[in-house]
Amino acid sequence: MAKVNVKVCLGTTCFVMGSSNLQELMSIVPHKYGKEVHVEGSPCLGMCSSEYEFSKAPYVKVNNEFIKEATVEKVLAAIDKELK
Ligand code: FES
């Protein structure tokens, strides 16, 4: 079983705010980490509307941690941290 689960939000808000750029994670992550990390797209993770001030889409969830204003670099750093 994968040690780290990554969910890339593909909901409307996150998609408009740039999660389409994060779709390259779908190819980078399996290539870099193999079976250690499972990555998938997800419908709205519920973060874009839960708290206005926390509306910093796009969001990615790495295990139980939410990454706001996610970029490929931030997500890879979070995965590395989880694998330590
Ligand atoms: S659309 Fe991504 S958290 Fe709602």
Side-chain angles (χ1 to χ4, degrees):
M1 213 173 99
K3 287 184 187 162
V4 181
N5 283 290
V6 178
K7 288 187 179 205
V8 178
C9 183
L10 300 176
T12 308
T13 305
C14 288
F15 196 82
V16 169
M17 297 291 280
S19 71
S20 53
N21 297 332
L22 299 174
Q23 288 189 40
E24 59 183 302
L25 286 167
M26 308 291 178
S27 53
I28 295 172
V29 167
H31 190 252
K32 187 167 181 202
Y33 300 102
K35 290 189 190 314
E36 298 259 272
V37 182
H38 177 71
V39 61
E40 64 185 353
S42 168
C44 177
L45 293 168
M47 298 307 290
C48 58
S49 55
S50 60
E51 290 174 52
Y52 178 70
E53 289 191 347
F54 198 43
S55 186
K56 297 198 183 293
Y59 292 100
V60 175
K61 194 174 182 194
V62 177
N63 281 348
N64 292 321
E65 187 188 341
F66 283 100
I67 300 170
K68 55 189 176 183
E69 295 175 327
T71 61
V72 169
E73 291 73 24
K74 278 190 191 178
V75 172
L76 293 179
I79 292 171
D80 287 338
K81 204 174 110 196
E82 289 293 315
L83 286 173
K84 264 190 196 157

